[in-house]
Amino acid sequence: MSRPLYRGFSSGGRGSGCAGLDSFDVSYQTKELGENGFGYELMNPAGINRARQNLIFTILKLGLVVFIVLALSGSLYWAISISTFSPSSIYHGYRRLQEQVVSDLTEIGELSLGISRLKELEFCPPEYENYAPCYNNVSENFDLADPSVPIEYERKCVPDTEMHCLILPPRNYRIPLRWPSGRDFIWKENVKITGQEFSSGSLTKRMMVEEEQISFRSGSLMVDGVEDYTHQIAEMIGLRNESNFIEAGVRTVLDIGCGFGSFGAHLFSKQLLTMCIATYEVSGSQVQLTLERGIPAMIGSFSSRQLPYPYLSFDMLHCARCGIEWEKNDGIFLVEVDRLLRPGGYFVWTSQINTHRSLRDKENQKKWSIIHEFAESLCWDMLSQQDETIVWKKTSRRKCYSSRKAGPAVCGKSLDVESPYYQPLNPCIAGMRSARWIPIEHRTPWPSRARLNSTELDIYGVHPEDFAEDAASWSSAIHSYWSLLSPLIFSDHPKRPGDEDPSPPFNMLRNVLDMNAHFGGFNAALLDAGKSVWVMNVVPANGPNYLPLIFDRGFIGVQHDWCEAFPAYPRTYDMVHAEGLLSLETHQKHRCSILDIFLEIDRILRPEGWVMIRDTAHLVETARTVITQLRWDARLMELDSSGDEKLLVCQKPFFRKQQ
């Protein structure tokens, strides 16, 4: 008989905790719970014969007999030696013997139940609190560096066998404020900003620091008229205002060097989804602060490799003083912009070099001329220029490329690929031959775009029946997931299944990462259910590549190899979801272990964040044993009595650094 799940988890869970099991969806059943929420159940794989079981139990019984004999012998020796020890020594010796007996009997009991308890991992040294693997960035190596000298960090992933430890948050870390409040205020101690940066004025000119918080309110200098700025861009495109972006076919935006995400935060209110990318920064990180605000962001660079997105992915690319020298390397960075832009998409470039005063300088004139001429050779039309801002529009006509007299060549079939997982930058124009070459103004407008029709699905080789079945399955799953989690994530307003969501400030979930996104059905179901979240849809590099389909649905995502570190800072996601990922990884050559993958989840997951693992029963059971090393609280759920899948729901405790 199962016991109810009580409110609150054992190590740092929120006060609201869990509601009773009977308040969850009836399709879930919980195993008998033991210490730390683990079910003490028999874990023998199917197919072990009775003879092997009898042999194991015989050995265990024999071991127990030997232990008892040794214990009795030790007790006899202790009794003989009583007279030679002081009363204090006798007492402490007895206590040690008693504790050893309890420990040994506990281990024997666990072995008899088939559970091998793994040793919990240690915590990482303090210098790893902002550790982002694949970059040479352990913080203690850079505390003495000159912050005025920019350093370009290229992604380089090497196996780190010594990093089997858990990263602790900063000493004064606090759980982020709930969305949408967290969009405008973050805790200063949650991000790495040095006193030198504050004193230099580079940050205080663009944000307000109020005691323990950093403010990004519209009244602060941080946003610096972002509403007027986006209104200006809309007018330059030929729209009445930024509310008409959706009607013009703009839904997804890539913001290069995004500052602290205020451009994307404002566009979100207009139903546009903006991905921020910026290079790795030791402190004052644009990506870290943007994710802390609950806005999509990842570490990325135009410096040497393609970004891990397919071509024809974004409706708009935006660069406002982003630091990219577009005239360098024979214009190859502009070619990468062209690769990512959809036909008819917009490139918005704001730079001081564009002003009349700046162009009086001959060097700036030369740079501007190179960029302007190269943009024309890419078949871009310059729509307008106002002050520092220029807007180009990518052509929707394939014939333009054959009529050019100069400019980059069109890629051959061997180079025109959809899987650019950190491949070297290509100097040729990609995507022309793709069936996805559809002008943005001809695409189904958002939000209908998320529901692809049979003609559109045929481009990706997906049958409408499979797509519809996937959508229905995720709709049902999200209802069950939310019924399960809602008593836990609404910290000030516990609710039961069937109740309406509480009024603002809504819930504790905002940043969600789907490790094996497939068609993006998990993302679509969350939006259909009206949840105020965004999803980073990750397509594993060793699985089917449906990332183009995900982007064409109006979502965002990235291709990634889960045996490498994800391009984000620690503590940046509220929930990580993995459906079928363990099955996918186990069918590949084992370049990394399940523990390696789960350590990476632990790194990017916020304290008190959630992990949902859905897979075959055997792999979920295996994952549950690994989770003991990570100190997560876990609950095992039965999804369907007739199926072989199980759901593991985990919460990462809030471990505070010792004072």
Side-chain angles (χ1 to χ4, degrees):
M1 178 176 180
S2 61
R3 299 184 306 201
L5 297 177
Y6 296 99
R7 292 188 176 181
F9 281 135
S10 59
S11 300
R14 292 191 177 88
S16 64
C18 306
L21 179 61
D22 54 357
S23 69
F24 296 156
D25 190 274
V26 294
S27 63
Y28 293 98
Q29 297 176 357
T30 309
K31 296 294 184 185
E32 181 71 4
L33 299 177
E35 184 182 357
N36 292 328
F38 287 91
Y40 287 106
E41 60 177 335
L42 209 59
M43 293 179 61
N44 294 331
I48 294 181
N49 56 43
R50 185 171 298 276
R52 186 178 297 177
Q53 292 181 0
N54 291 338
L55 178 60
I56 292 172
F57 287 128
T58 300
I59 294 172
L60 289 173
K61 291 177 181 178
L62 181 60
L64 182 60
V65 170
V66 171
F67 169 75
I68 292 172
V69 170
L70 291 174
L72 290 174
S73 301
S75 298
L76 180 60
Y77 173 79
W78 171 75
I80 295 173
S81 305
I82 282 179
S83 59
T84 63
F85 289 96
S86 66
S88 175
S89 299
I90 293 172
Y91 171 77
H92 289 296
Y94 172 76
R95 291 290 298 173
R96 284 196 298 271
L97 179 62
Q98 187 182 52
E99 290 169 0
Q100 185 62 45
V101 169
V102 171
S103 175
D104 291 343
L105 287 175
T106 300
E107 290 182 7
I108 292 172
E110 289 176 350
L111 287 171
S112 68
L113 290 170
I115 296 178
S116 58
R117 181 174 295 277
L118 301 175
K119 183 180 179 181
E120 292 180 340
L121 295 174
E122 300 296 328
F123 294 113
C124 298
E127 60 266 24
Y128 282 88
E129 68 182 30
N130 288 293
Y131 182 61
C134 296
Y135 300 89
N136 183 19
N137 61 6
V138 178
S139 58
E140 69 172 356
N141 295 335
F142 298 99
D143 286 341
L144 301 178
D146 185 353
S148 64
V149 179
I151 303 174
E152 184 73 16
Y153 297 93
E154 291 191 11
R155 180 178 175 87
K156 184 178 181 181
C157 297
V158 293
D160 193 344
T161 56
E162 298 180 359
M163 262 303 296
H164 276 193
C165 58
L166 305 177
I167 295 176
L168 283 170
R171 179 168 296 175
N172 296 318
Y173 180 87
R174 296 190 188 183
I175 301 300
L177 300 171
R178 290 172 290 184
W179 180 268
S181 301
R183 175 188 58 200
D184 301 323
F185 298 93
I186 66 172
W187 300 114
K188 187 176 70 174
E189 297 296 332
N190 285 13
V191 295
K192 186 176 182 183
I193 300 177
T194 65
Q196 285 182 322
E197 289 164 325
F198 277 122
S199 61
S200 67
S202 61
L203 296 180
T204 51
K205 288 179 180 178
R206 294 152 60 187
M207 65 173 68
M208 292 178 64
V209 181
E210 300 176 351
E211 296 180 353
E212 298 176 330
Q213 291 182 336
I214 299 173
S215 170
F216 301 91
R217 295 175 301 180
S218 58
S220 74
L221 295 175
M222 167 61 195
V223 287
D224 196 20
V226 67
E227 187 170 354
D228 292 338
Y229 176 64
T230 54
H231 185 84
Q232 174 189 339
I233 293 172
E235 288 184 334
M236 294 172 71
I237 289 174
L239 306 175
R240 174 181 289 184
N241 55 51
E242 63 269 35
S243 298
N244 300 114
F245 277 133
I246 290 290
E247 298 173 17
V250 178
R251 158 65 179 171
T252 53
V253 180
L254 183 66
D255 194 5
I256 308 165
C258 57
F260 303 126
S262 291
F263 183 70
H266 179 68
L267 291 181
F268 182 81
S269 65
K270 310 300 178 183
Q271 299 187 62
L272 272 66
L273 194 55
T274 302
M275 171 81 85
C276 157
I277 63 164
T279 57
Y280 173 80
E281 297 164 282
V282 175
S283 62
S285 164
Q286 301 169 74
V287 170
Q288 188 183 40
L289 268 75
T290 300
L291 283 166
E292 189 71 16
R293 298 180 65 189
I295 302 164
M298 60 173 279
I299 302 171
S301 172
F302 273 79
S303 62
S304 62
R305 297 188 177 274
Q306 293 180 350
L307 294 170
Y309 316 122
Y311 51 66
L312 314 180
S313 293
F314 293 94
D315 306 313
M316 178 186 288
L317 266 74
H318 174 256
C319 161
R321 302 181 183 180
C322 61
I324 305 295
E325 296 180 309
W326 299 107
E327 76 281 2
K328 293 292 182 66
N329 293 3
D330 298 321
I332 198 168
F333 302 143
L334 289 171
V335 175
E336 175 69 356
V337 171
D338 185 85
R339 183 184 74 84
L340 297 171
L341 266 182
R342 290 194 174 102
Y346 303 97
F347 177 49
V348 181
W349 179 40
T350 298
S351 171
Q352 290 180 326
I353 196 177
N354 297 331
T355 62
H356 292 295
R357 176 178 293 182
S358 178
L359 290 175
R360 294 173 186 170
D361 180 79
K362 291 185 178 180
E363 187 66 26
N364 288 339
Q365 285 182 17
K366 181 180 179 181
K367 291 179 181 179
W368 197 93
S369 296
I370 292 172
I371 294 169
H372 183 262
E373 292 174 6
F374 197 87
E376 285 187 341
S377 74
L378 290 170
C379 288
W380 293 359
D381 295 323
M382 195 173 88
L383 296 184
S384 179
Q385 178 175 1
Q386 291 186 21
D387 302 323
E388 297 181 358
T389 302
I390 299 176
V391 176
W392 279 285
K393 183 180 177 67
K394 179 177 175 176
T395 186
S396 299
R397 300 176 295 108
R398 289 187 175 97
K399 292 182 179 179
C400 177
Y401 297 103
S402 59
S403 63
R404 296 173 304 147
K405 295 181 180 179
V410 175
C411 293
K413 291 183 179 180
S414 61
L415 295 176
D416 202 2
V417 294
E418 292 269 21
S419 301
Y421 187 64
Y422 296 110
Q423 294 298 312
L425 288 169
N426 252 335
C428 57
I429 298 172
M432 279 184 51
R433 300 180 181 86
S434 173
R436 297 176 54 236
W437 182 279
I438 303 171
I440 62 172
E441 56 267 24
H442 296 164
R443 287 185 174 272
T444 306
W446 177 264
S448 300
R449 181 187 295 189
R451 296 179 288 275
L452 302 177
N453 59 41
S454 58
T455 303
E456 293 168 325
L457 289 172
D458 190 53
I459 295 174
Y460 319 100
V462 176
H463 294 290
E465 296 81 6
D466 295 337
F467 189 76
E469 182 181 350
D470 181 78
S473 172
W474 280 116
S475 178
S476 174
I478 290 300
H479 173 76
S480 298
Y481 287 0
W482 212 258
S483 297
L484 175 68
L485 288 176
S486 55
L488 314 176
I489 60 180
F490 295 98
S491 60
D492 296 332
H493 187 124
K495 66 186 283 289
R496 293 181 177 274
D499 292 349
E500 294 293 328
D501 287 352
S503 57
F506 304 119
N507 58 74
M508 302 301 292
L509 294 183
R510 172 62 182 166
N511 298 358
V512 177
L513 187 146
D514 192 1
M515 298 179 72
N516 186 21
H518 201 53
F519 299 151
F522 181 68
N523 190 161
L526 282 169
L527 294 183
D528 287 344
K531 308 308 177 188
S532 183
V533 302
W534 67 271
V535 178
M536 179 71 83
N537 294 282
V538 181
V539 172
N542 57 358
N545 184 16
Y546 290 112
L547 191 56
L549 182 153
I550 288 170
F551 270 101
D552 291 349
R553 296 185 73 178
F555 307 146
I556 57 173
V558 66
Q559 194 174 35
H560 183 65
D561 181 351
W562 282 113
C563 284
E564 297 179 357
F566 193 73
Y569 291 82
R571 304 172 301 279
T572 44
Y573 284 90
D574 304 311
M575 173 183 280
V576 175
H577 174 263
E579 191 270 336
L581 179 73
L582 301 181
S583 294
L584 179 65
E585 292 294 336
T586 53
H587 284 93
Q588 307 298 320
K589 293 181 179 179
H590 291 281
R591 295 181 298 110
C592 59
S593 66
I594 291 180
L595 177 59
D596 293 327
I597 295 174
F598 276 71
L599 273 168
E600 178 60 10
I601 297 174
D602 185 86
R603 185 184 70 86
I604 62 177
L605 190 66
R606 287 190 174 128
E608 298 190 1
W610 297 90
V611 181
M612 305 192 79
I613 303 162
R614 181 175 175 177
D615 220 303
T616 61
H618 170 68
L619 289 173
V620 170
E621 293 281 7
T622 302
R624 190 176 65 161
T625 62
V626 173
I627 284 170
T628 61
Q629 297 179 269
L630 302 176
R631 308 170 187 241
W632 294 352
D633 298 302
R635 303 292 185 268
L636 184 63
M637 309 292 173
E638 295 282 0
L639 287 171
D640 186 351
S641 58
S642 61
D644 186 42
E645 284 192 330
K646 287 187 178 181
L647 177 71
L648 191 62
V649 181
C650 312
Q651 187 181 36
K652 175 182 174 178
F654 187 174
F655 293 110
R656 294 185 180 274
K657 189 172 289 186
Q658 294 296 320
Q659 299 296 324

